[in-house]
Amino acid sequence: SPNSVPVNVELSSLPNAKSNETSAGEIDSETIDLGLAFIPITLTFSNVCYSVIHSVTKQRLDILQNVSGYCQPGTMTALMGSSGAGKTTLLDVIAGRKSTGTTKGEFKLNGRLKERKTFKRLSAYVEQNDFHSPRATVREAVLFSANLRLRLPKEVASDTARELFVDSVLKILELDVISDHRIGSGREGLTMEQRKR
């Protein structure tokens, strides 16, 4: 696709890779295309309403009322508000995780109406709480997720491509220096900030 963003990995990160070295001993900045292409997606939501029926009074409670917004690719969007304002509810509604109540509104991906099946393939929902195995290393946890979620073209050597992709994600998140550390639990292992990444 002409609008896709190819995922490239530094040639020097390949095992046994041969790269051109300059006379100063610096490695050339050659990259290879893993065959992974991601299309940047803009998410828009407009006039989102969510209501539930109170279990005792049987009256309708409006939790979200005509909420609109957007998230652009390559940016971080902060959802802020006081406790009980509906931040988590809004994220749950956008992600399609609410199985009770009534949801109304329009959700679009790059201008097209969101389809539940497609959206689940294109997105990931990260809980506030840590649900990682404390015995796994950081790299093992990310690789486990990649093995479950990352679909690769048939012509790409999948194991190598996944591992290279995981390495690039770890580097972007600045977790590469602790990639072999166990996640741990409580005071042992990673810090809370590292676990959130």
Side-chain angles (χ1 to χ4, degrees):
S1 168
N3 297 326
S4 66
V5 177
V7 176
N8 295 314
V9 174
E10 292 179 20
L11 184 60
S12 59
S13 66
L14 285 167
N16 304 320
K18 294 180 182 175
S19 60
N20 299 327
E21 290 190 12
T22 64
S23 57
E26 297 171 352
I27 296 176
D28 237 352
S29 60
E30 292 181 52
T31 60
I32 59 159
D33 184 355
L34 292 180
L36 302 171
F38 293 95
I39 298 172
I41 294 176
T42 298
L43 166 69
T44 60
F45 50 95
S46 56
N47 301 316
V48 174
C49 300
Y50 176 72
S51 59
V52 294
I53 302 298
H54 192 280
S55 60
V56 176
T57 65
K58 304 299 181 198
Q59 290 183 330
R60 188 181 82 186
L61 298 173
D62 293 324
I63 310 296
L64 301 174
Q65 296 178 349
N66 297 316
V67 179
S68 298
Y70 64 93
C71 302
Q72 292 181 312
T75 65
M76 182 180 293
T77 303
L79 183 58
M80 301 188 304
S82 61
S83 180
K87 300 178 298 293
T88 303
T89 301
L90 177 60
L91 288 176
D92 286 343
V93 167
I94 291 170
R97 295 172 56 91
K98 287 292 187 191
S99 56
T100 60
T102 304
T103 301
K104 295 179 183 174
E106 193 171 65
F107 305 90
K108 291 184 177 181
L109 303 173
N110 287 347
R112 293 184 175 175
L113 286 175
K114 177 182 98 168
E115 295 177 19
R116 184 177 176 90
K117 189 173 92 172
T118 306
F119 187 71
K120 290 215 177 267
R121 240 186 14 242
L122 297 173
S123 65
Y125 189 95
V126 180
E127 297 274 356
Q128 293 182 55
N129 301 322
D130 179 23
F131 291 112
H132 296 291
S133 169
R135 294 186 179 168
T137 65
V138 172
R139 189 170 197 288
E140 289 169 341
V142 177
L143 186 58
F144 178 75
S145 179
N147 283 331
L148 293 176
R149 300 181 58 86
L150 191 59
R151 296 180 184 178
L152 299 172
K154 291 178 184 175
E155 61 273 7
V156 175
S158 60
D159 289 343
T160 303
R162 262 194 203 93
E163 289 174 17
L164 290 172
F165 183 72
V166 164
D167 289 341
S168 68
V169 168
L170 290 171
K171 190 171 185 176
I172 289 168
L173 296 175
E174 297 179 359
L175 293 172
D176 51 330
V177 293
I178 59 166
S179 63
D180 292 328
H181 293 174
R182 295 211 183 277
I183 293 170
S185 60
R187 293 181 184 216
E188 294 181 15
L190 303 182
T191 67
M192 181 67 75
E193 184 270 337
Q194 290 169 332
R195 284 189 185 132
K196 294 270 185 190
R197 280 190 273 161

